Amino acid sequence: NAGVMQNPRHLVRRRGQEARLRCSPMKGHSHVYWYRQLPEEGLKFMVYLQKENIIDESGMPKERFSAEFPKEGPSILRIQQVVRGDSAAYFCASSKSGVGTDTQYFGPGTRLTVL
Amino acid sequence: GENVGLHLPTLSVQEGDNSIINCAYSNSASDYFIWYKQESGKGPQFIIDIRSNMDKRQGQRVTVLLNKTVKHLSLQIAATQPGDSAVYFCAETFSGNTPLVFGKGTRLSVIA
């Protein structure tokens, strides 16, 4: 069974460009979560999506960040007009159901560097 | 080796010794807790979980203890091995589609 897949693994962008991060959940999982991790810190929740629906986006910055999980294809985290402060590791996790007691399995992450 | 809370983020132990990593969680309503292991350059890896109706759960070489009275969670690793070197995070959540809240993490360094 393939685990959670993320690509690209490393992404370099200049200030003002757009970053697109992709996440394919584990087979059979329809719930996707995005987290951001700064160096030497824990993961911070950003957004929780189910197919075609955003369930909880309480951790998403109000501007420049958006996420989607279409009926077909991977979940996308999009960051417009990136700034240096967006440099971080972005992790995606998936679970079979969305209740709080269902284990979330993480992908390898995308490390975004903004020059 | 043992650390107390999240104020000592680094724990060094001799290979073969037992390790105890502690976590003080924040929300008294949290009812599901997970320990993750994160190796350098990788995503968090699930280790073990525990629900609030339990106070102890054992896995292979790992044991999680939960003390709801003082909102404290610990991870015990028996016979620590070099491959256990990583950062360990506790995470908490409350049932019902709520996001995981991660602690700051503890770096475990195993001395051969």
Side-chain angles (χ1 to χ4, degrees):
Chain A
N1 269 341
V4 178
M5 308 287 284
Q6 288 189 251
N7 69 84
R9 294 293 307 277
H10 299 274
L11 182 61
V12 179
R13 285 288 178 265
R14 297 191 179 278
R15 281 179 295 170
Q17 291 185 319
E18 179 180 288
R20 278 180 177 248
L21 289 61
R22 296 175 191 78
C23 168
S24 296
M26 285 179 69
K27 187 176 180 181
H29 288 192
S30 59
H31 298 257
V32 166
Y33 313 79
W34 285 94
Y35 295 83
R36 176 163 62 179
Q37 184 179 36
L38 296 173
E40 300 295 308
E41 292 192 9
L43 283 74
K44 295 289 194 289
F45 168 78
M46 299 180 74
V47 62
Y48 161 36
L49 310 102
Q50 206 176 346
K51 283 286 187 180
E52 299 185 276
N53 287 306
I54 296 176
I55 308 299
D56 182 348
E57 56 182 347
S58 59
M60 285 278 271
K62 296 290 183 234
E63 298 177 346
R64 301 187 299 107
F65 285 72
S66 62
E68 63 177 8
F69 189 16
K71 188 177 181 181
E72 301 291 338
S75 175
I76 306 286
L77 179 67
R78 182 183 177 202
I79 311 173
Q80 296 178 287
Q81 299 173 345
V82 296
V83 301
R84 290 216 173 111
D86 296 332
S87 295
Y90 292 83
F91 291 97
C92 165
S94 73
S95 65
K96 187 174 291 187
S97 66
V99 295
T101 54
D102 196 20
T103 303
Q104 294 180 26
Y105 295 92
F106 284 81
T110 294
R111 277 143 189 87
L112 172 66
T113 301
V114 180
L115 302 177
Chain B
E2 177 176 344
N3 78 323
V4 179
L6 298 175
H7 302 295
L8 299 173
T10 302
L11 175 65
S12 296
V13 297
Q14 291 286 339
E15 182 179 358
D17 285 353
N18 296 334
S19 302
I20 300 174
I21 300 171
N22 296 296
C23 175
Y25 64 91
S26 57
N27 187 353
S28 57
S30 293
D31 58 4
Y32 181 51
F33 306 88
I34 311 105
W35 280 100
Y36 285 94
K37 172 187 180 184
Q38 187 176 27
E39 297 175 275
S40 181
K42 296 184 179 180
Q45 175 188 357
F46 172 87
I47 301 174
I48 192 168
D49 59 0
I50 189 168
R51 299 180 186 180
S52 59
N53 61 351
M54 304 171 69
D55 53 21
K56 181 179 180 179
R57 191 165 187 221
Q58 288 184 292
Q60 188 176 18
R61 279 202 309 119
V62 294
T63 300
V64 55
L65 299 177
L66 175 62
N67 185 331
K68 294 181 289 295
T69 302
V70 294
K71 294 191 290 185
H72 185 268
L73 194 68
S74 70
L75 176 71
Q76 300 177 4
I77 304 173
T80 312
Q81 302 169 0
D84 295 328
S85 293
V87 177
Y88 289 80
F89 293 98
C90 66
E92 60 181 293
T93 188
F94 173 69
S95 302
N97 295 340
T98 55
L100 285 177
V101 176
F102 280 79
K104 289 184 181 178
T106 297
R107 183 179 304 279
L108 176 65
S109 178
V110 181
I111 304 165

